[in-house]
Amino acid sequence: MSANSAREAVFGKIRSALKDVPKSEQPDDVAVDRSYLTASDESRPELIRQFIERVEEYRAKVRTTSPDDLPRVIAESCADNGIRSLVVPADLPDGWAPTDLTLLREPGLSIDQLEQAGGALTACAVGIAQTGTVVLDAGPGQGRRAITLLPDHHLCVIFEDQIVGLVPEAIARLHDAASRPDRPITFISGPSATSDIELNRVEGVHGPRRLEVIVVASSA
Amino acid sequence: MSRHAPTTRAELMSRDVAPLPTNAPAQPFPEAARISLADVQLRRNMGKVTTTIRAKRAKAVAEMPDWEALREAGRAIKDRTLRHLDHYLIQLEQAVTRAGGKVHWAADAAEANRIIAGLVQSHQTKEVVKIKSLTTDELGLNEALREIGVEAFETDLAELIIQLAGERSSHILVPAIHKNRAEIRALFRRRLADTENLTDEPKALAAAARAHLRKKFLSAKVAISGANFGVAETGSICIVESEGNGRMCLTLPRVLISVMGIEKVIPSWRDLEVYLQLLPRSSTAERMNPYTSIWTGASAPGDGPEEFHLVLLDNGRTKVLADSFGRQALQCIRCSACLNVCPVYERTGGHAYNSVYPGPIGAILTPQLVGVHNAGSLPYASSLCGACYDACPVKINIPQVLVHLRGKVVEHKRESLSGRLAPEALAMKTLGKVFTSPKRFERFQKLGRLGQRLKIHNGMIESLPGQLGGWTAVRDVYPVAPETFREWWLRRSESKTSPNREGQS
Amino acid sequence: MRMSLFLTCFNDTLFPSTGRAVVAVLERLGHRVEFLMDQTCCGQMHYNTGYQPEALPLVRHFVRVFGDSEIIVSPSASCVGMVHDFYPKIAAESGDEGLQRAIADLIPRVFELTTLLVNKLGVEDVGAYFPHRATYHPTCHSLRALRVGDAPMRLLRKVRGLDLVDLPSADECCGFGGTFSVKNADTSIAMLSDKNRCILDTGAEYCVAVDNSCLMHIGGGLHRQRAGVEPIHLAEVLAATEEGGRP
């Protein structure tokens, strides 16, 4: 069957299958009751606390800091984890990257370089407190997807005002990136894991075996 | 491909016989269940697994004050989508195309396999990496690719395990759940390099898989995936996973082919907020799974595949859609919550269903995809306990659809004379007549009482003839009472109206 | 009040003691019970097995028999479930608007026994005495279809002399499922093994439930095993008194 005729065949079958739907009915005529929670009513401090607690429950480490202290905490984390070479995106904010190790700055790093690197440092788009999730959307300071996938350690910086309570709030914030081919989105909730062997959760199958999140207090 | 019906566990699990919908008709459920029920290891594994996930899921759901509201929204969005499926598919196609992706249409499995094989061959590669996709299992894709000399490497740990073992999946979410760690260790030592000293610690087994697959990820040119959701408004495709193999396949190879059943489309970006809450808690019983990837079209240079193909698949879905009651089966988001609460599935395991989709959802989806005459035993593979309906995050009324499909099975059987004259059909017809008349009903009661006299031992009947022997093979059955209720009532009424009569009350 | 007993075909035939018990309990509470002799079967077996055209005449018959009754009470959660959940669907499919209206009118008057006692009559103590150890199995229809909630337990807790023990894994299906018990006998028995093991683990003499259909399966298995544990319908526990013993 030619490409077009397959398409026509499928649509023909769909239309015939839906003959019980009145012709006058529009998609939006089918009511969708959205009485689920779309925004959290927790206080900001409570949300931050919950975010940290839930990220830690996935066995990802969390550090907190102030904007001024951020570079020091980043450097400390790299030292604590024995990271000697660090991948960073091209537009990583000035001053973030430690100076006492090998910096591998994008763009143009090869797969091998990413594989050999000790870790990667990025910003993120939004964090979800209820689920302990950080989300990347190829926005500022995040770089391409491979850099948070191949190196074994992902160090992710999030500012307090990037943390929302619930999933619907995060989805709303990501709407701009959606539909853009150059803005793929990745939700990250802890290091990778599998429960395929007798339902025992094992961390770090593919993807970074260590995830660390640094929560930065919003300035003033 | 072996065509004789399986008689052993090994045969039941083997990939030599493809499951429905690729292979029909399949061995009836009662026969297959009899084989797997006898497997002690399976019963132990399945019992442990389902009990564990059930408890975890209950905990994850109990945390959510708005769970019922989310379920209702999840159902309603799917209902809207299915009722206007053509509209949303057109929207999806336009959005994906606008973003640089290529959309292909496949009316059936053969066509989908042809399209995918063609795409793979055009890139002159002998190996592809795959993310777990039930849809591709439906197609028998790996076998189809092998026929053109292309090896498809499964990268999900469980899919890798069963691929190496030459076995079929037994569960939607944890396909290798029927295997314990000792069996997996033995398998890896046989089939993977550098595994002489491998222990059976899950951590070690996962590490062995990681090492083995790393090479494949970094060298593969083509990746094949399924899709959890396709957003019509934006053209975004969403894949929900745990291990990171999905991210590997979606980012590293040059070419990405995603196969998506047409029912997986959802109307708007906003709708993801519902499903990304329902799915993780219902499937792995977590607040959120480790990785969810969402992309639109072909990527920016260096950040993913240069070429993205979306294959939209019918393969019987329009048949399901045509049944206005049965079509709710298409709401399924493949979470497997129904499998984990099903007392039948827990004991028989997935292979007994001989279907790519096992368990409660399989029992209603597969017969509609392949026609009830090809899967007539599946709608009966249920005691209608209703636990699945309570667990389903999108409120598919599985018990009612099962009964609806049983009606279709019987309707189909009665189209033929031999079907109408089958013992069960005759018995049902007779009983139907008996029940429409109180007099006939009373005569029937008395007849039963007469006929059973010789069969009662110790107040119970221990054997029944014909098909009813299935009951008495393993249970005693209660006889017709010496005095039925209506006989007692009549007697009581008479003794009340004539107080001189003797009578117990 | 005047109550019409919807006994069900299998209770009438196999377990008349349950019917006698319902009569005894309701009369003890001061109500009048009538038994309409024309009643036969609600059609659940046919409908659930896929013989749906055969169910329609039985639906009509039910409406004819019970249409004028003020309150209809039944000791079978599964049959009441049939009426509540499927009769509207069957009527809608028949296209008979008169039937649809009759059923819509009838359904609010059809009660499962424990729901009637606890929710409608507001009664929990019916003066019962049953000095035995028993465990309660919540049948799937009562638990998930009718959602009787804790009505049965509320009634049982007020039974004097009763040593009520919790049943492990109570919510799990016993494996009866109507014709499932015959068509898929192996799986049915596998489920029954686990249910009976849980029952035996309680040390109970009796297993109580609101559906004799499930009890028939549980009891049939216990009896085959010569386990020395008896099934008993909840109505019969409620009907038992110091003076009268069991009906």
Side-chain angles (χ1 to χ4, degrees):
Chain A
M1 218 189 261
S2 79
N4 261 335
S5 63
R7 187 181 182 280
E8 291 323 307
V10 174
F11 275 104
K13 288 199 195 134
I14 292 175
R15 282 166 187 143
S16 132
L18 293 174
K19 53 185 184 291
D20 61 302
V21 178
K23 290 226 183 327
S24 57
E25 183 187 291
Q26 295 303 302
D28 286 346
D29 291 339
V30 183
V32 173
D33 178 359
R34 292 188 197 264
S35 49
Y36 54 87
L37 299 171
T38 51
S40 172
D41 53 8
E42 299 278 17
S43 67
R44 292 296 308 164
E46 175 52 31
L47 277 185
I48 311 301
R49 192 207 59 76
Q50 190 185 64
F51 175 78
I52 294 172
E53 182 185 81
R54 295 200 169 174
V55 171
E56 284 177 336
E57 272 183 47
Y58 290 132
R59 286 182 268 222
K61 190 167 161 58
V62 179
R63 296 174 200 249
T64 57
T65 185
S66 65
D68 289 339
D69 245 3
L70 178 59
R72 186 187 61 75
V73 171
I74 291 173
E76 201 172 80
S77 169
C78 290
D80 287 351
N81 286 290
I83 294 173
R84 301 298 314 143
S85 58
L86 185 70
V87 173
V88 298
D91 60 347
L92 188 77
D94 291 335
W96 282 25
T99 49
D100 61 346
L101 42 66
T102 307
L103 212 58
L104 300 165
R105 191 178 280 275
E106 284 264 275
L109 294 173
S110 71
I111 296 291
D112 275 340
Q113 285 177 298
L114 294 177
E115 272 281 273
Q116 316 293 353
L121 168 67
T122 71
C124 67
V126 62
I128 309 172
Q130 189 193 54
T131 59
T133 303
V134 292
V135 187
L136 275 66
D137 70 354
Q142 298 175 45
R144 61 181 166 129
R145 292 181 287 178
I147 71 173
T148 55
L149 177 60
L150 293 174
D152 221 7
H153 185 106
H154 177 197
L155 185 53
C156 184
V157 176
I158 187 167
F159 286 82
E160 279 182 3
D161 60 7
Q162 289 181 294
I163 296 173
V164 299
L166 305 177
V167 172
E169 297 170 86
I171 291 291
R173 288 205 185 183
L174 295 164
H175 200 162
D176 283 341
S179 83
R180 290 184 52 171
D182 60 341
R183 301 284 298 273
I185 293 165
T186 310
F187 283 55
I188 298 171
S189 309
S192 82
T194 178
S195 301
D196 278 335
I197 301 174
E198 295 181 356
L199 271 199
N200 277 296
R201 187 184 161 106
V202 172
E203 256 93 45
V205 194
H206 314 286
R209 281 184 278 211
R210 281 188 316 279
L211 170 67
E212 232 182 84
V213 177
I214 300 178
V215 179
V216 188
S218 302
S219 19
Chain B
M1 235 195 308
S2 163
R3 295 294 299 191
H4 85 264
T7 52
T8 66
R9 270 288 289 152
E11 286 171 359
L12 194 60
M13 287 197 291
S14 162
R15 273 185 191 227
D16 287 343
V17 180
L20 295 167
T22 48
N23 179 35
Q27 183 185 38
F29 181 83
E31 284 172 39
R34 171 170 277 203
I35 298 171
S36 54
L37 283 168
D39 183 333
V40 170
Q41 187 67 74
L42 179 77
R43 294 285 291 268
R44 207 54 72 244
N45 290 353
M46 295 302 296
K48 177 175 170 217
V49 158
T50 53
T51 311
T52 307
I53 309 187
R54 269 206 294 274
K56 277 188 77 179
R57 180 201 160 268
K59 188 156 165 265
V61 163
E63 250 190 25
M64 302 289 279
D66 58 344
W67 185 252
E68 288 304 317
L70 282 166
R71 284 181 81 210
E72 175 50 32
R75 181 206 65 77
I77 293 167
K78 286 282 179 177
D79 187 37
R80 172 189 282 180
T81 307
L82 292 172
R83 288 174 76 84
H84 298 276
L85 192 60
D86 49 344
H87 166 86
Y88 288 116
L89 287 173
I90 290 171
Q91 222 189 350
L92 176 69
E93 180 186 46
Q94 287 170 346
V96 171
T97 310
R98 228 178 5 244
K102 181 122 177 28
V103 176
H104 309 256
W105 296 85
D108 57 27
E111 187 156 24
N113 289 337
R114 255 196 320 273
I115 292 167
I116 297 167
L119 288 169
V120 173
Q121 276 176 323
S122 72
H123 289 281
Q124 281 123 11
T125 183
K126 292 275 170 235
E127 292 186 350
V128 299
V129 286
K130 279 189 71 200
I131 308 177
K132 175 173 111 109
S133 159
L134 289 165
T135 314
T136 61
D137 289 347
E138 215 185 292
L139 304 176
L141 176 65
N142 295 4
E143 289 70 27
L145 287 175
R146 187 169 303 126
E147 276 168 28
I148 58 161
V150 174
E151 206 53 43
F153 288 93
E154 294 289 352
T155 62
D156 269 69
L157 180 55
E159 292 289 343
L160 170 68
I161 289 169
I162 60 175
Q163 185 176 51
L164 292 175
E167 289 172 11
R168 290 192 279 121
S169 163
S170 64
H171 190 286
I172 283 173
L173 190 68
V174 277
I177 208 57
H178 55 287
K179 299 200 104 44
N180 63 27
R181 60 176 76 180
E183 292 171 314
I184 296 169
R185 180 188 106 147
L187 179 66
F188 279 8
R189 287 180 70 187
R190 248 188 357 259
R191 300 292 306 271
L192 300 182
D194 303 324
T195 49
E196 303 81 29
N197 299 320
L198 191 59
T199 70
D200 70 357
E201 280 299 304
K203 219 172 146 131
L205 298 171
R210 179 183 166 108
H212 168 76
L213 288 169
R214 200 85 178 170
K215 306 191 259 293
K216 294 271 173 265
F217 289 136
L218 301 180
S219 59
K221 267 204 262 180
V222 178
I224 299 177
S225 81
N228 290 93
F229 308 103
V231 181
E233 177 202 340
T234 59
S236 316
I237 307 295
C238 176
I239 287 195
V240 172
E241 59 145 342
S242 295
E243 296 166 30
N245 60 306
R247 293 181 65 192
M248 292 287 189
C249 292
L250 297 173
T251 357
L252 301 179
R254 274 194 52 231
V255 179
L256 173 62
I257 304 167
S258 296
V259 186
M260 188 178 110
I262 51 177
E263 84 283 20
K264 300 281 189 71
V265 63
I266 58 176
S268 60
W269 175 254
R270 190 187 174 182
D271 298 326
L272 274 179
E273 73 194 15
V274 173
Y275 298 108
L276 291 184
Q277 296 193 72
L278 290 172
L279 182 53
R281 290 181 196 258
S282 302
S283 59
T284 49
E286 303 170 291
R287 296 189 179 112
M288 188 62 77
N289 51 293
Y291 299 129
T292 296
S293 298
I294 308 172
W295 76 94
T296 310
S299 314
D303 191 8
E306 298 158 19
E307 228 178 276
F308 170 58
H309 298 269
L310 180 65
V311 180
L312 291 171
L313 177 74
D314 179 357
N315 203 31
R317 285 153 177 75
T318 46
K319 277 192 260 179
V320 187
L321 194 64
D323 181 334
S324 60
F325 191 73
R327 73 167 65 120
Q328 57 188 291
L330 294 176
Q331 288 167 199
C332 178
I333 61 174
R334 307 288 191 268
C335 70
S336 79
C338 60
L339 271 67
N340 298 327
V341 298
C342 178
V344 171
Y345 175 84
E346 178 181 340
R347 292 167 176 86
T348 65
H351 296 128
Y353 293 77
N354 269 305
S355 161
V356 168
Y357 307 106
I361 185 62
I364 62 169
L365 187 56
T366 298
Q368 296 192 83
L369 288 173
V370 305
V372 291
H373 52 288
N374 282 323
S377 68
L378 287 184
Y380 291 94
S382 164
S383 65
L384 303 177
C385 83
C388 51
Y389 184 23
D390 281 357
C392 179
V394 291
K395 291 165 90 164
I396 301 171
N397 196 329
I398 299 176
Q400 285 202 10
V401 179
L402 284 166
V403 171
H404 172 74
L405 292 177
R406 291 175 184 189
K408 288 190 141 176
V409 172
V410 168
E411 199 182 304
H412 181 263
K413 285 206 178 123
R414 297 207 278 199
E415 279 169 10
S416 74
L417 185 64
S418 61
R420 284 194 293 280
L421 295 178
E424 182 189 285
L426 289 174
M428 286 296 188
K429 209 162 160 112
T430 308
L431 279 172
K433 291 216 176 72
V434 165
F435 288 140
T436 49
S437 152
K439 287 276 164 288
R440 278 200 289 265
F441 177 57
E442 283 164 19
R443 272 204 298 274
F444 185 76
Q445 290 177 313
K446 292 185 164 66
L447 207 66
R449 194 161 51 203
L450 208 62
Q452 76 190 4
R453 268 182 318 157
L454 295 176
K455 310 217 82 193
I456 302 181
H457 303 290
N458 234 356
M460 299 286 270
I461 294 173
E462 289 172 2
S463 89
L464 288 174
Q467 286 184 329
L468 295 176
W471 180 281
T472 46
V474 284
R475 287 155 289 220
D476 291 347
V477 74
Y478 294 82
V480 177
E483 182 181 50
T484 62
F485 179 86
R486 56 185 59 219
E487 286 168 337
W488 172 79
W489 182 267
L490 214 53
R491 192 158 58 80
R492 189 177 93 136
S493 313
E494 281 163 10
S495 76
K496 277 186 173 167
T497 56
S498 14
N500 292 331
R501 270 210 192 167
E502 290 282 333
Q504 274 172 286
S505 55
Chain C
M1 279 195 252
R2 188 139 151 238
M3 306 194 175
S4 193
L5 178 60
F6 159 35
L7 184 56
T8 80
C9 57
F10 60 89
N11 278 327
D12 188 342
T13 313
L14 302 176
F15 308 112
S17 54
T18 297
R20 293 199 295 270
V22 177
V23 173
V25 171
L26 293 174
E27 285 180 346
R28 192 192 306 154
L29 295 174
H31 303 286
R32 270 186 61 195
V33 183
E34 72 177 357
F35 178 74
L36 299 169
M37 297 284 284
D38 277 355
Q39 65 184 279
T40 54
C41 170
C42 71
Q44 183 182 199
M45 179 188 66
H46 280 89
Y47 192 79
N48 280 357
T49 311
Y51 292 83
Q52 281 138 24
E54 277 82 351
L56 181 58
L58 300 179
V59 174
R60 290 189 192 284
H61 186 74
F62 185 94
V63 171
R64 259 197 310 272
V65 171
F66 290 106
D68 290 334
S69 301
E70 209 183 298
I71 293 185
I72 301 141
V73 59
S74 174
S76 169
S78 73
C79 302
V80 172
M82 175 69 191
V83 172
H84 282 228
D85 290 344
F86 287 105
Y87 274 27
K89 195 163 182 283
I90 295 169
E93 278 163 12
S94 76
D96 181 339
E97 282 180 21
L99 184 63
Q100 287 174 58
R101 274 194 303 274
I103 284 169
D105 187 64
L106 185 57
I107 282 177
R109 295 180 267 141
V110 179
F111 294 89
E112 178 274 332
L113 177 68
T114 64
T115 310
L116 176 80
L117 290 172
V118 175
N119 297 355
K120 182 140 175 81
L121 300 179
V123 171
E124 289 179 17
D125 187 337
V126 301
Y129 174 70
F130 192 74
H132 301 280
R133 172 175 279 203
T135 189
Y136 175 70
H137 163 65
T139 59
C140 296
H141 270 106
S142 65
L143 182 65
R144 294 188 194 92
L146 287 185
R147 297 197 190 273
V148 303
D150 64 351
M153 287 301 280
R154 286 173 178 272
L155 291 161
L156 286 172
R157 283 194 206 108
K158 294 290 199 298
V159 175
R160 281 185 324 283
L162 180 64
D163 176 14
L164 195 55
V165 282
D166 281 338
L167 179 65
S169 305
D171 285 2
E172 290 193 32
C173 178
C174 68
F176 174 62
T179 47
F180 174 81
S181 57
V182 174
K183 285 165 166 305
N184 274 288
D186 292 306
T187 310
S188 172
I189 265 295
M191 293 162 72
L192 182 61
S193 301
D194 287 329
K195 179 60 66 179
N196 281 356
R197 179 174 44 79
C198 289
I199 292 170
L200 292 172
D201 279 350
T202 65
E205 302 158 55
Y206 290 95
C207 174
V208 186
V210 296
D211 277 286
N212 275 330
S213 42
C214 307
L215 287 176
M216 188 165 78
H217 163 77
I218 289 173
L222 289 170
H223 203 271
R224 176 63 61 95
Q225 287 179 285
R226 308 296 188 249
V229 179
E230 284 293 312
I232 185 171
H233 192 283
L234 189 142
E236 296 185 41
V237 174
L238 297 181
T241 56
E242 271 118 340
E243 307 82 32
R246 287 176 54 184

